[in-house]
């Protein structure tokens, strides 16, 4: 009986650890994404569900740290000047943005 209980506890812990690995986006990051998505696509209940679905899908594809890096690159590309040139060129930053864009495209297909 104790072994069964220990096995169940271990299975639940492993399941929650796996879920946590997929769900590593902080709530405020998810909310920011949903707010921007809704501002772009419409302030409706239907859009709330679609935008929430999209960030959930992105989170299953892209680790949070990679998401933050790609978002930073995209934001910096909007700033003019020489100092931000490093965010506009180079294989590494282009790969980051491409991976983010693929995750976004997949989320759009699945959620919209």
């Amino acid at each position: 009986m104790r072994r069964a209980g220990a096995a169940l506890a271990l299975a639940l812990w492993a399941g929650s650890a796996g879920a946590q690995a997929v769900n590593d986006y902080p709530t405020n990051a998810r909310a920011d994404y949903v707010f921007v998505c809704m501002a772009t696509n419409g302030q409706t209940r239907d859009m709330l569900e679609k935008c929430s679905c999209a960030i959930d899908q992105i989170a299953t594809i892209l680790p949070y740290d990679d998401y933050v890096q790609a978002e930073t690159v995209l934001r910096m590309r909007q700033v003019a000047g020489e100092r931000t040139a490093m965010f506009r060129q180079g294989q590494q930053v282009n790969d980051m943005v491409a991976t983010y864009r693929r995750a976004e495209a997949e989320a759009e297909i699945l959620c919209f």
Side-chain angles (χ1 to χ4, degrees):
M1 181 75 163
R2 280 189 158 181
R3 285 187 185 178
L8 178 61
L10 182 60
L12 289 173
W13 177 80
S16 69
Q20 185 61 32
V22 171
N23 192 15
D24 66 343
Y25 284 47
T27 302
N28 63 340
R30 288 177 186 264
D32 284 343
Y33 182 92
V34 171
F35 286 142
V36 171
C37 177
M38 288 180 69
T40 304
N41 296 300
Q43 304 284 334
T44 65
R45 176 72 185 170
D46 183 49
M47 201 50 60
L48 171 65
E49 291 176 16
K50 289 178 180 182
C51 293
S52 298
C53 172
I55 190 61
D56 290 344
Q57 290 301 318
I58 291 169
T60 64
I61 298 167
L62 202 61
Y64 180 67
D65 289 340
D66 294 350
Y67 172 82
V68 170
Q69 289 175 0
E71 281 284 312
T72 301
V73 169
L74 290 170
R75 288 176 199 260
M76 293 306 294
R77 285 182 172 182
Q78 296 175 1
V79 177
E82 281 181 34
R83 293 183 180 177
T84 60
M86 65 187 232
F87 294 102
R88 289 187 199 89
Q89 57 195 0
Q91 190 64 37
Q92 186 177 7
V93 293
N94 289 337
D95 288 347
M96 270 188 252
V97 171
T99 302
Y100 174 78
R101 295 282 190 216
R102 279 191 294 276
E104 239 184 0
E106 187 171 329
E108 188 172 327
I109 289 168
L110 292 171
C111 299
F112 285 87

